């Protein structure tokens, strides 16, 4: 059975119990930017439920052009007022270089490796703070999630105005 077949089979039970949410606006007015790492239960780790937050994921949970594109919509179309950046321990982007990742993948891309979580979270928070079109964002936080203990550590907290 293919993975997609397994998913479609599982979906039958999901759809039977599904309750539709009429409003696309996140109830907690928050967007979470985090890593695609399969070990992170984003909603569980942050005490969120379905409908509470936007969750934007990529390798490393870094603030890229595409994350900014999503946040612009989160803020101006869907009422988000806080952005929480969550990096994590033992991330695949820790302790590697762009050169190594270009060689390993064959993709000539900037992979945004992480040498230091505190520094990269501060840099990413500063990118959000500097984006004039994200002016309505009132709170920007940076957290590190420990994949071994499940605990969060607060690194950056910036209130605007
Ligand atoms: Zn990661």
């Amino acid at each position: 059975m293919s993975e997609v077949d397994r998913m479609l089979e599982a979906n039958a039970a999901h759809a039977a119990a599904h309750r539709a949410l009429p409003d696309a606006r996140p109830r907690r007015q928050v967007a979470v930017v985090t890593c695609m790492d399969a070990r992170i239960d984003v909603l569980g780790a942050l005490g969120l439920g379905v409908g509470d937050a936007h969750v934007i994921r990529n390798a490393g949970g870094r603030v890229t052009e595409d994350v900014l594109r999503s946040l612009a919509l989160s803020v101006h179309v869907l009422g988000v007022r806080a952005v929480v950046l969550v990096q994590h321990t033992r991330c695949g982007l820790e302790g590697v270089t762009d050169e190594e990742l270009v060689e390993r993948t064959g993709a000539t891309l900037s992979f945004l490796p992480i040498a230091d979580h505190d520094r990269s979270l501060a840099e990413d928070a500063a990118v959000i703070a500097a984006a004039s079109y994200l002016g309505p964002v009132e709170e920007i936080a940076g957290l590190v999630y420990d994949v071994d203990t499940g605990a969060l550590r607060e690194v950056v907290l910036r209130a605007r105005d």
Side-chain angles (χ1 to χ4, degrees):
M1 188 185 250
S2 79
E3 288 301 329
V4 173
D5 287 339
R6 289 173 62 184
M7 291 173 185
L8 292 172
E9 187 174 291
N11 177 254
H14 169 81
H18 182 67
R19 284 189 314 120
L21 296 174
D23 193 347
R25 290 173 298 178
R27 276 190 298 260
R28 300 271 294 269
Q29 296 187 294
V30 64
V32 179
V33 179
T34 193
C35 186
M36 65 188 185
D37 194 294
R39 296 169 289 187
I40 305 172
D41 169 6
V42 180
L43 298 184
L46 299 174
L48 299 168
V50 173
D52 282 343
H54 283 157
V55 178
I56 304 165
R57 302 187 76 158
N58 65 22
R62 300 303 311 270
V63 174
T64 62
E65 283 298 307
D66 196 63
V67 168
L68 292 170
R69 178 184 70 92
S70 296
L71 289 176
L73 296 169
S74 287
V75 169
H76 290 283
V77 181
L78 293 158
V80 162
R81 292 294 176 265
V83 178
V84 180
L85 309 174
V86 183
Q87 296 186 4
H88 68 96
T89 59
R90 299 205 280 127
C91 185
L93 284 181
E94 265 182 272
V96 291
T97 65
D98 254 340
E99 294 69 31
E100 289 165 354
L101 293 171
V102 167
E103 182 169 337
R104 185 164 182 183
T105 62
T108 311
L109 298 169
S110 176
F111 287 92
L112 304 174
I114 297 166
D116 176 81
H117 288 295
D118 292 35
R119 195 171 68 216
S120 54
L121 282 167
E123 287 170 3
D124 285 357
V127 169
I128 291 170
S132 58
Y133 54 85
L134 297 181
V137 174
E138 295 158 4
E139 187 178 24
I140 306 166
L143 310 174
V144 179
Y145 177 75
D146 186 320
V147 293
D148 294 308
T149 68
L152 287 163
R153 176 171 69 86
E154 187 172 332
V155 174
V156 181
L157 181 61
R158 299 175 65 141
R160 298 180 81 151
D161 297 329

